Amino acid sequence: MTLSPARVPHAAVRRLTTTLYGYAFLDDFVLLYPVYALLFADTGLTVWQISSLFALWSLTGVLLEIPSGTWADAVSRRMLLRAGPLLTAAGFTLWVLVPSYWAFALGFVLWGAKGALGSGSLEALVYEELDRLGAADRYGRVMGRARAAGLVAVMAAMGLAGPVFAFGGYPAVGLASVLACVSAAATAARFPEHREPAAAAGSGSGSGSGDGWTRPLRAGLAEARGNRSVRAALLLVPAVTAVWGALDEYTPLLVRDTGVAENAVPYWLLLIWTGATVGGLLAGPGERLGRGGFAWLLAGSALALAAGAATRTPAGIGLVAVAFCGFQLASVLADARLQERIGGTGRATLTSVAGVGTDLTTVAAFGAYAAVGSATTHGTAFALSAVPYLLTALIVATGSGTAGPSTDRAARP
């Protein structure tokens, strides 16, 4: 029959994307998301203590990001994606059973380790599986939808957090979050993985298994050193992703400062994450943006963020949602550009290098936010956070052809 050859790759792509979307949804279906900043505050933590927890979260990623990326190139990426959510489940359990600064800190270390295990592993697995099926050009669209699925989960969690919290308080939302993490780990087992891990490939080469573990790291760093386009893509990812990723953690406090009732905070957060979800879904059309269009995307989003936060009213949250829409779209496009530029075997390693840059920049953003937020207001801190995006937009607009997304796919390595 002539249908079989056409349907096999289609079915394989569908299995991959269905698993990816399910994993992304469950990984972010965490009812603690909209209330954990409030949990920290209700436990008696100051803004500086809360910021130090977020910084510890990012520092854990910095320390583990590249080793975990190299590990993902050396062993099974699917295995790491299964293990990560279980670490987060353990951390959430600590938070609700023994709420204290040190329990929160340990929970963030576990969460940071989970993030390091998944960062690079997921992108590399999805891109290489799509490439194997001749569908690498779908990567940006697929990952945009995956991020949208995760944000739909965040919004669903926000919608459910209120009634679940009213029913059982922090223990109830904690239990629901742990169950979601365990379900995400089970879903990760369905990921296809058609590759020979580097450690296994190196074990029979006569150079020893240790060489197999270090080969992806050496190969990835060599590619970054020798390819200007890859270096530019590595820098673009943290420049676009880090600051709004840090602001994400403070959105409940920003919303509460506008004067809305505390039990209504999750519903206002839904508006912000609706914007971010739309940004992920726009990844397909967004791939047509050239360097100038990408720069305008960043600049417009930055101005919307500053204007919305400066109003310090619930109406301004709508502009913050528009800003998050643009930042999400820009983040997906920056990741897609990086994956397209990587041509060697160290894909997860190089993606993790970009992750380290993101984590370091995020730590700096947390420190800056703590300083500004303690001295002024959350609205002012959000508004000033638009400045790095305006500078990045200027650099992209005036820089070389490697500074932003290109519409010329044929020219991409």
Side-chain angles (χ1 to χ4, degrees):
M1 294 178 63
T2 59
L3 294 178
S4 179
R7 286 185 173 178
V8 170
H10 175 75
V13 170
R14 184 170 56 190
R15 177 194 172 189
L16 171 64
T17 56
T18 300
T19 303
L20 173 64
Y21 301 153
Y23 180 83
F25 181 91
L26 291 168
D27 193 44
D28 278 326
F29 187 60
V30 177
L31 269 64
L32 274 169
Y33 275 164
V35 298
Y36 68 67
L38 305 180
L39 169 62
F40 301 158
D42 290 344
T43 306
L45 273 59
T46 65
V47 173
W48 274 103
Q49 286 177 312
I50 293 173
S51 295
S52 72
L53 290 174
F54 295 153
L56 176 63
W57 187 12
S58 293
L59 285 172
T60 302
V62 169
L63 294 175
L64 298 180
E65 188 82 43
I66 292 179
S68 66
T70 304
W71 194 17
D73 281 327
V75 300
S76 168
R77 293 161 181 166
R78 179 172 56 196
M79 178 189 73
L80 301 187
L81 294 173
R82 292 178 64 184
L86 299 179
L87 297 179
T88 312
F92 291 160
T93 301
L94 282 174
W95 285 6
V96 296
L97 290 183
V98 285
S100 64
Y101 179 85
W102 295 109
F104 299 147
L106 180 55
F108 271 125
V109 169
L110 293 172
W111 200 349
K114 177 265 178 186
L117 292 178
S119 175
S121 301
L122 183 64
E123 294 88 348
L125 185 151
V126 172
Y127 187 88
E128 292 186 359
E129 288 297 315
L130 287 173
D131 190 42
R132 183 183 66 86
L133 296 168
D137 60 332
R138 302 188 194 180
Y139 175 81
R141 193 176 314 133
V142 166
M143 290 305 291
R145 291 172 180 172
R147 294 197 186 194
L151 292 173
V152 168
V154 171
M155 292 189 292
M158 290 174 181
L160 290 173
V164 173
F165 183 80
F167 173 76
Y170 291 118
V173 295
L175 175 61
S177 301
V178 169
L179 291 176
C181 292
V182 173
S183 299
T187 301
R190 296 191 68 254
F191 274 118
E193 188 174 20
H194 297 82
R195 61 182 287 271
E196 185 178 11
S203 62
S205 65
S207 58
S209 60
D211 179 70
W213 280 80
T214 58
R215 183 185 298 112
L217 178 60
R218 296 198 309 270
L221 295 179
E223 183 174 3
R225 287 194 302 269
N227 190 322
R228 181 186 178 193
S229 178
V230 171
R231 290 198 305 273
L234 286 171
L235 292 172
L236 186 63
V237 170
V240 170
T241 306
V243 175
W244 84 279
L247 294 179
D248 165 20
E249 307 306 326
Y250 299 99
T251 50
L253 302 176
L254 174 71
V255 171
R256 185 163 66 175
D257 269 11
T258 63
V260 304
E262 187 163 303
N263 61 359
V265 168
Y267 303 109
W268 282 98
L269 292 178
L270 281 174
L271 178 61
I272 294 176
W273 293 112
T274 297
T277 302
V278 172
L281 294 175
L282 290 174
E287 288 181 312
R288 295 193 291 269
L289 287 175
R291 182 159 53 91
F294 189 81
W296 278 110
L297 173 66
L298 288 178
S301 301
L303 293 175
L305 176 68
T311 64
R312 298 182 61 187
T313 64
I317 300 303
L319 285 174
V320 175
V322 171
F324 273 45
C325 173
F327 293 145
Q328 177 70 285
L329 174 56
S331 298
V332 174
L333 296 178
D335 170 55
R337 179 181 185 277
L338 175 61
Q339 299 304 323
E340 291 164 358
R341 291 298 191 271
I342 298 173
T345 59
R347 182 174 302 278
T349 300
L350 280 176
T351 305
S352 291
V353 170
V356 168
T358 299
D359 289 337
L360 288 172
T361 309
T362 300
V363 170
F366 285 142
Y369 191 99
V372 176
S374 297
T376 58
T377 65
H378 292 291
T380 300
F382 267 72
L384 290 177
S385 296
V387 174
Y389 285 108
L390 292 173
L391 294 176
T392 301
L394 181 62
I395 292 171
V396 170
T398 61
S400 67
T402 60
S406 168
T407 57
D408 184 8
R409 288 187 174 273
R412 294 177 177 175

